[in-house]
Amino acid sequence: MQPTKLSSSGSPRGVQLVRALVRALHPYVPGEQPKIKGLIKLNTNENPYPPSPRVLRVVKTAVDGRLRRYPNPAADRLREKLAQHHHCAPENIIVGNGSDELLALAVRAFVEPSPSAKTPKGKLARATVQYFTPSYSLYPVLAEMHGATTNAVPLESDFSLPGRAQLKRHKQWDFNAALTLVTTPNAPSGRGYATKELEALCVAQRGVVVLDEAYADFADANALPLALKFPHVLVARTFSKAYSLCFQRIGYFVGPMELIAALHKIRDSYNVNGLGQIAAETTLDDLAYYRANFRRIIATRIWLTGELTKLGFRVLPSETNFVLVQPARFPARDWLAKLGGQKILVRWFSAPELRNYLRITVGSQGEARALVAAVRQLLLG
Ligand SMILES: *Cc1c(COP(=O)(O)O)cnc(C)c1O
C-alpha cells in the first residue's frame, strides 16, 4: 500500500486535537500492494490460486439488490458451519473483519488500557500484552493504541520457543500477563511449534492466550484442541491466506464461551460484510479444492527450499506458505532492490533481528521458478 497521505494543510491546531497517544503511535506497516503489470508478488503471503469456481459463482450471484440490506449481524450461518467443521458449538466461535479485527477486540476485552500501579507479585498483570519477537508485527501496534504495556520477549536465535524453565530463568517473561499472543506457525520465521510445547506454555499462563494460527493449514499440526480444552485459550484462524480470501476480510476465533461472549459484546453490530460471509460459507462446502492447493503450495515450498539452498541461500524450515531466507552474496536489503528490478517483490524487515533475511511467499510453481531463475541470474551478473 502507498503510505496514506496524512496531512495536506499541516495545521498545528488539527494536530493538537488528536489524542497524545495517537499522535505518538507508530502505525502498522502493511506489505505494499503495487499495481505493476507483470509483477510477481511474493511479499504478503497471499495464496497464488484463486477462490474455487463455486465460491466465485456464489459471490457474483449475490451481487444484486440485496446489497442494500444489512448482513447477518453475528454471521450465524458461517458460525454454524465452522462449529460443525471444528466439532464445537456456534457459541465457541466469533467471526471478524479479518482476524486482525478480533486481535484488536481481544486487547480491548482482556487488557486494561493503562497500567495503574505496578502489579503486586503473583497478581494478574491486567495491562500487559505479551508476545515473542519476531512474530506478527501488528501486536505491538494494537497494544500501543490501547495504551497497554507491551512485553516483547525474544525467541531463541533459531526462532524456536523458549521452554518454561528458560522463560523462568530469563525473568522477562510474565506468567501473569493479561494477554499473550503467539503466532503459530510463526511469522515471519515460518517455524512450526509442537502442540505439546504450546500446551505447556498455556498451562503456565494465568491470563488469556491467543494462538494465532493464520498459517495452520500449511503446517504439520495445529493447536485447535487447546482452545476447546482450556478456559483461557483462544485460537485465531483466517480465510485470508489458505482460503484465498484476503479481499473479503474474514477471520474467526475459536474458544471457551465466556471469552467468546465477551468479544461479541464489544464488536460492531455488523462487523462482517455479507459477501464475505457467503464466500466463507461456500468455501467450507468446497474444501477438497483448497486442500489440493495446500498440497501444491507445500510441494512448491519444498522445491523452492531445495533450489535456493543449492544457490547458497540459508533457508529456514517452514510450515507456512512463505520461507525466511538468509541470501547469498549481497545484503538482504540489496536483494529486495535487485529482485524488484526484475519485477519480483519480496518482503524485507528493518528490525535488527530480521534485517539479514528476506521473507518470500511461496507462490505458484511458475512464480517460484521465475524467482529462482532471477536469483541465479543476479548471482552470475
Ligand atoms: C495475515 C495474518 C493475520 C491477518 O489475517 P486477516 O484475517 O487477513 O486479518 C493474522 N495473523 C498473522 C500471523 C498473519 O500472518
Side-chain angles (χ1 to χ4, degrees), residues 44-45 97-101 103 136 139 183 185 187 212 214-215 237-241 246 249-251:
T44 48
N45 303 339
N97 185 38
S99 51
D100 283 355
E101 183 199 19
L103 294 167
Y136 188 27
Y139 304 153
T183 316
D212 183 353
Y215 301 100
R237 293 283 180 89
T238 175
F239 282 81
S240 292
K241 314 288 171 37
C246 290
R249 312 299 304 123
I250 304 283

Side-chain angles (χ1 to χ4, degrees), residues 41-64:
K41 198 172 164 305
L42 303 175
N43 68 327
T44 48
N45 303 339
E46 289 146 321
N47 199 302
Y49 305 110
S52 80
R54 224 170 130 184
V55 168
L56 290 178
R57 206 176 321 121
V58 107
V59 172
K60 282 178 189 159
T61 310
V63 178
D64 61 19

Side-chain angles (χ1 to χ4, degrees), residues 280-299:
E281 287 163 22
T282 309
T283 297
L284 293 172
D285 293 334
D286 218 359
L287 289 176
Y289 169 88
Y290 293 93
R291 288 184 179 135
N293 289 343
F294 304 158
R295 286 193 289 273
R296 237 173 256 151
I297 289 166
I298 291 168

Side-chain angles (χ1 to χ4, degrees), residues 194-242:
T195 304
K196 258 176 62 181
E197 41 176 352
L198 293 168
E199 177 158 6
L201 184 73
C202 289
V203 167
Q205 291 307 121
R206 292 194 49 224
V208 174
V209 180
V210 174
L211 303 173
D212 183 353
E213 292 200 323
Y215 301 100
D217 293 291
F218 306 106
D220 298 339
N222 68 73
L224 199 105
L226 302 183
L228 300 170
K229 176 173 179 182
F230 293 109
H232 66 304
V233 178
L234 293 160
V235 162
R237 293 283 180 89
T238 175
F239 282 81
S240 292
K241 314 288 171 37

Side-chain angles (χ1 to χ4, degrees), residues 85-239:
H85 181 61
H86 291 303
H87 310 290
C88 61
E91 291 74 25
N92 294 118
I93 292 172
I94 180 169
V95 182
N97 185 38
S99 51
D100 283 355
E101 183 199 19
L102 297 172
L103 294 167
L105 289 181
V107 172
R108 279 186 245 153
F110 308 127
V111 184
E112 292 296 344
S114 68
S116 38
K118 207 169 145 38
T119 309
K121 223 170 138 61
K123 284 264 166 49
L124 202 62
R126 292 262 172 208
T128 301
V129 176
Q130 174 169 256
Y131 49 85
F132 291 105
T133 53
S135 69
Y136 188 27
S137 54
L138 179 66
Y139 304 153
V141 181
L142 296 177
E144 237 184 276
M145 70 171 72
H146 188 60
T149 307
T150 56
N151 192 30
V153 178
L155 290 164
E156 301 290 347
S157 58
D158 64 354
F159 302 117
S160 61
L161 276 183
R164 190 178 166 173
Q166 189 82 356
L167 291 172
K168 274 217 164 106
R169 194 155 352 110
H170 281 296
K171 303 232 187 286
Q172 195 201 331
W173 186 260
D174 190 346
F175 292 98
N176 292 312
L179 180 63
T180 299
L181 302 166
V182 183
T183 316
T184 172
N186 193 25
S189 70
R191 188 168 183 128
Y193 302 132
T195 304
K196 258 176 62 181
E197 41 176 352
L198 293 168
E199 177 158 6
L201 184 73
C202 289
V203 167
Q205 291 307 121
R206 292 194 49 224
V208 174
V209 180
V210 174
L211 303 173
D212 183 353
E213 292 200 323
Y215 301 100
D217 293 291
F218 306 106
D220 298 339
N222 68 73
L224 199 105
L226 302 183
L228 300 170
K229 176 173 179 182
F230 293 109
H232 66 304
V233 178
L234 293 160
V235 162
R237 293 283 180 89
T238 175
F239 282 81

